Amino acid sequence: VRRHISDSVTPMPTPPRRRTRPASQARTPSQRKLHPSHFAVNECWLVVQASRTPVRTDEDGAFDVYVLQDAASMYIFGTVLVSAGSSAAREEEIDELFQSAWRGKHAWPKRLVLSNSNPLVSSFAVAAERNGIAVEYVPNSALAVYTNDVQAGFSEHFGLG
């Protein structure tokens, strides 16, 4: 008498399936909070506003401060000062910031992440695209880890707490 293995094996119960969202509600990378552990060094750069409020100078007025940062290492490549409330930065300043970052890494990242509420989105996007860098837009809340860190450091360094 031949027996099949299936005759002597008791099937194991199937574990309950994890509930998943319908495809239409799936979270995209831009809907979740970004974290340095999500990236490799120089894979992604991002731009965040360093100053919670404009920095005032006696001679030149008020400025918002933005930083270009590596998403994995959180290394800050440099800053750009923009007249408070302005919707554009000087193209030369942003190009110089990108070139300075490139000189430090000798490579461009695959992508640049920008907050879709950043008033300078177009200025940074144009510079990125000119250098062959894909641009991704995310809600400001997705950049909270970076924004909070940069703003806390900025405030502490300049005594703006």
Side-chain angles (χ1 to χ4, degrees), residues 59-79:
E59 293 179 23
D60 299 314
F63 294 92
D64 291 321
V65 181
Y66 292 87
V67 300
L68 178 64
Q69 181 176 42
D70 179 74
S73 66
M74 296 180 75
Y75 178 81
I76 295 175
F77 296 113
T79 61

Side-chain angles (χ1 to χ4, degrees), residues 25-38:
Q25 294 178 3
R27 281 189 135 185
T28 63
S30 64
Q31 291 176 318
R32 63 183 157 101
K33 287 193 179 189
L34 301 179
H35 189 273
S37 65
H38 298 156

Side-chain angles (χ1 to χ4, degrees), residues 64-119:
D64 291 321
V65 181
Y66 292 87
V67 300
L68 178 64
Q69 181 176 42
D70 179 74
S73 66
M74 296 180 75
Y75 178 81
I76 295 175
F77 296 113
T79 61
V80 171
L81 301 176
V82 181
S83 292
S86 178
S87 62
R90 288 193 29 227
E91 186 176 320
E92 302 82 25
E93 289 183 46
I94 292 186
D95 283 342
E96 178 52 37
L97 179 59
F98 273 77
Q99 291 303 316
S100 175
W102 185 88
R103 284 191 297 276
K105 293 290 186 178
H106 296 287
W108 294 114
K110 293 177 184 158
R111 63 188 168 134
L112 175 72
V113 173
L114 298 169
S115 166
N116 53 20
S117 64
N118 180 336

